[in-house]
Amino acid sequence: MITRFLLSNMDRRGLVFLALIAAIGLLVPLANLLMPAGSPLHVSTATMSLWGKYLCYALLAISLDLVWGYCGILSLGHGAFFALGGYAMGMYLMRQIGSRGVYGNPVLPDFMVFLNWQELPWYWYGFSSFPFAMLMVLLVPGLLAFVFGWFAFRSRVTGVYLSIITQALTYALLLAFFRNDMGFGGNNGLTDFKDLLGFNVQAQGTRAALFAMTCVMLISGFLIARGIVSSKLGKVVIAIRDAESRTRFLGYRVDRFKLFVFTVSACMAGVAGALYVPQVGIINPSEFAPANSIETVIWVAVGGRGSLVGAALGAVVVNWAKTMFTSGFMAPYWLFALGALFVFVTLFMPKGILGTAQGWWESRKRPAPVPAAEPAPAE
């Protein structure tokens, strides 16, 4: 029934997106596992992991578009929720190493042994269990977003002030996680992972399964976001974006709608971070850097704010371009190119790539106006 509701409210663009991601999630792992290395249809494990990272970013972009594109909340700290989900997954992966670490301690991770920790901190308990770790992937970012949003939205903090506060939040977490006494690996973070659910995290089959799961979660995240924005709740959320004061005057509890959307978005970002970590192989405090959150805003703006498909497209396109431009002579100039891209899109493509392309296509399909017939001359 829920699936029928979601698909009945899906436009053609959304259906194409779902079909494309489903096909990619099925065909790419099969091309990696079944095709021989010399075949033109073979997809290398490195390429698959790289595109898996792009799809994690696409899920993060959808989560940001949900709050910015549809609710009007410009969050410059969404990278914090992404990083917290990644740390929750990283803590589980560290607990799976056991005695195979450099120091051979069956309980303490290597960085704790190096720093002369005598026992495991209490907040690491439970992370040897995969279900508990997955619960924390959702609970920690969601709880932080709920507490932050509770105070911010009830105080009616909006606009640039809210954006600055979210950026301050992620910067505070950056400084905290850099400290060695926090128990999260300090500057080096968490790395050297071995197993995931008993499978070698570096194995080709595990990498293929992670890629497929990323596609499944991207589809799920898209459906959840689409279900929210196409429901009656979503209509109120859009009204808050367009005229918050008028919506409040009509009797709606604006702060509650904002809080719900912000919390759901944070949980989605946490899931994206949890999928990102085993495919990249490391999580460190640099993921909290405010620049990462600002870059996520650029993805959404480039793809098309207020379009979930456009947000995902922008994340993939910008990160693919980043990979291409940071590996050659253009590497020192990538940040300048990224800034120029954002300015160009803001001035000349305010609807992003997808919105601009759709507008161009509709203008071509629109029939040309028929000129009015000239009046007949009087006899």
Side-chain angles (χ1 to χ4, degrees), residues 180-301:
N180 287 327
D181 56 3
M182 282 288 290
F184 295 108
N187 182 46
N188 296 322
L190 309 177
T191 187
D192 195 29
F193 308 132
K194 306 293 185 185
D195 293 338
L196 175 60
L197 291 174
F199 298 96
N200 183 356
V201 76
Q202 300 296 335
Q204 186 177 7
T206 307
R207 293 282 180 168
L210 284 169
F211 182 89
M213 183 54 63
T214 303
C215 292
V216 170
M217 289 296 103
L218 179 57
I219 291 174
S220 301
F222 177 82
L223 289 175
I224 291 172
R226 183 66 187 176
I228 290 174
V229 300
S230 61
S231 65
K232 293 181 179 179
L233 183 150
K235 305 304 180 187
V236 178
V237 168
I238 295 174
I240 293 172
R241 177 197 66 187
D242 295 337
E244 181 175 336
S245 298
R246 185 176 300 178
T247 307
R248 183 180 287 108
F249 179 76
L250 291 174
Y252 290 100
R253 294 293 300 270
V254 169
D255 56 322
R256 294 185 179 181
F257 286 93
K258 283 185 171 183
L259 185 60
F260 173 77
V261 173
F262 194 65
T263 303
V264 171
S265 173
C267 292
M268 291 173 57
V271 172
L275 291 166
Y276 170 86
V277 168
Q279 296 184 84
V280 175
I282 187 173
I283 177 73
N284 59 41
S286 64
E287 296 297 337
F288 287 102
N292 291 352
S293 298
I294 296 173
E295 194 170 330
T296 306
V297 172
I298 295 176
W299 304 341
V300 177

Side-chain angles (χ1 to χ4, degrees), residues 25-69:
L26 177 64
L27 297 178
V28 170
L30 290 178
N32 174 257
L33 296 173
L34 301 181
M35 294 297 173
S39 171
L41 299 178
H42 175 74
V43 177
S44 67
T45 303
T47 300
M48 182 174 60
S49 297
L50 180 63
W51 282 89
K53 183 177 73 170
Y54 294 164
L55 295 180
C56 292
Y57 288 150
L59 180 56
L60 174 61
I62 288 177
S63 73
L64 178 62
D65 192 40
L66 182 61
V67 296
W68 183 35

Side-chain angles (χ1 to χ4, degrees), residues 78-132:
H78 240 57
F81 307 127
F82 179 84
L84 288 172
Y87 264 97
M89 173 60 82
M91 292 167 73
Y92 164 77
L93 295 173
M94 292 297 291
R95 292 301 309 275
Q96 300 308 300
I97 296 175
S99 58
R100 291 173 294 172
V102 175
Y103 296 100
N105 192 303
V107 177
L108 299 180
D110 283 339
F111 71 88
M112 291 187 184
V113 178
F114 178 78
L115 295 173
N116 295 319
W117 288 58
Q118 300 302 316
E119 58 182 10
L120 196 69
W122 63 268
Y123 45 84
W124 277 75
Y125 293 153
F127 278 96
S128 57
S129 168
F130 184 77
F132 177 84

